[in-house]
Amino acid sequence: MEYADEHRPLAGYGALSAAWVAAFGGSLLALRAAGQRPPERFAAADLVLAGIASHKISRMISRDKVTSFVRAPFMRFKGSGGKGEVEEEPQGEGLKLAIGELFNCPYCLDHWVASAYALGLIGAPRTTRLIGFVAATEAIADYLQIAYRAADEHADADSGS
């Protein structure tokens, strides 16, 4: 029995999962060899900052117009997605398709970005928090831009324009 009626790049997914395990595990081993260990617990502020930053960075990687050059080998452009984003679809087969699907899924990328962020908090906490601060500030600004535009459109509708 087949897994699905359509082609699913299961071997590619396996390769990406193995790459994540190798990168994350190898990074933990390297940090340990350098005398850096994870803290007993992370502060609540780090959790909030990491969550907002991971959201923004994942969205930038998977949707921003200006990062499309990174995704281009794995994606086909479909059109504008609005608000500085594009719509794309994964292309190819096997590992190429699996990478395209990863790049097309901000939820999937969150795992990779959050893992890198956590490792950064262990190995270079000040720099990582700075990156998190910038990304979180951008995310908050994005939502304020959307709210401003919605309020402006609502005011135009109320004034009859």
Side-chain angles (χ1 to χ4, degrees), residues 27-138:
S27 295
L28 284 174
L29 290 173
L31 287 166
R32 184 175 188 162
Q36 296 174 312
R37 296 176 187 256
E40 281 293 318
R41 66 183 58 89
F42 288 101
D46 283 325
L47 175 63
V48 171
L49 187 60
I52 296 170
S54 293
H55 162 78
K56 179 57 183 175
I57 293 168
S58 296
R59 197 101 198 144
M60 287 170 46
I61 293 169
S62 67
R63 296 282 189 255
D64 273 12
K65 288 178 185 179
V66 296
T67 57
S68 61
F69 71 95
V70 174
R71 299 183 307 272
F74 311 99
M75 308 295 276
R76 180 174 310 281
F77 178 80
K78 290 177 65 179
S80 176
K83 313 283 188 277
E85 295 186 344
V86 294
E87 291 294 324
E88 300 166 320
E89 66 182 4
Q91 64 177 351
E93 294 181 11
L95 183 59
K96 181 178 179 178
L97 179 59
I99 293 170
E101 288 185 350
L102 176 64
F103 277 153
N104 198 42
C105 176
Y107 303 98
C108 305
L109 283 170
D110 280 340
H111 180 71
W112 292 71
V113 173
S115 297
Y117 195 91
L119 291 167
L121 284 175
I122 299 165
R126 293 176 71 144
T127 301
T128 302
R129 285 187 182 101
L130 175 62
I131 292 167
F133 176 84
V134 170
T137 302
E138 288 178 276

Side-chain angles (χ1 to χ4, degrees), residues 9-30:
L10 297 179
Y13 295 158
L16 285 174
S17 295
W20 179 86
V21 168
F24 193 76
S27 295
L28 284 174
L29 290 173

